[in-house]
Amino acid sequence: MQRLPDTSLTIALASGGREQFGWGQDRHLTADLFDAINQNTRATGQWGKGRAPKIPAYPRPQTKKQSAKPKARKPRSVAEIYKVFQRR
């Protein structure tokens, strides 16, 4: 796993999901550069008071949000575990 490219599916799954596939360092830096140029344009433009345009951010993959608390399961008894293994 050490020598895999940062755009590989394995790295994407480790980083948060299939949406990250193809998003290497170069793509993240390009998206950040795009956003920085837009912020600079918005900050230095000669806009009227309160009339600076809203420039949308570069679309990035969304990670799946994990729940705050993991769902607590009821502990199983030895008899219940035995029944589960007997079904196979």
Side-chain angles (χ1 to χ4, degrees):
M1 186 147 157
Q2 292 177 350
R3 294 188 182 191
L4 288 175
D6 58 352
T7 57
S8 70
L9 184 58
T10 304
I11 299 296
L13 292 173
S15 297
R18 199 168 188 78
E19 305 84 33
Q20 301 285 336
F21 182 60
W23 276 79
Q25 286 181 341
D26 57 338
R27 190 125 180 227
H28 283 285
L29 286 173
T30 303
D32 290 341
L33 181 64
F34 180 86
D35 290 341
I37 290 171
N38 283 341
Q39 286 292 351
N40 187 33
T41 302
R42 193 163 188 262
T44 60
Q46 298 295 323
W47 320 110
K49 187 160 183 116
R51 294 195 175 204
K54 176 67 177 153
I55 303 171
Y58 195 86
R60 291 177 169 83
Q62 300 296 319
T63 57
K64 296 176 185 172
K65 295 187 179 187
Q66 297 177 358
S67 61
K69 286 185 178 178
K71 194 174 186 180
R73 292 195 283 176
K74 178 183 167 191
R76 290 187 174 186
S77 67
V78 175
E80 290 172 337
I81 295 171
Y82 183 75
K83 283 181 189 177
V84 170
F85 284 115
Q86 289 299 318
R87 284 188 236 152
R88 294 182 183 179

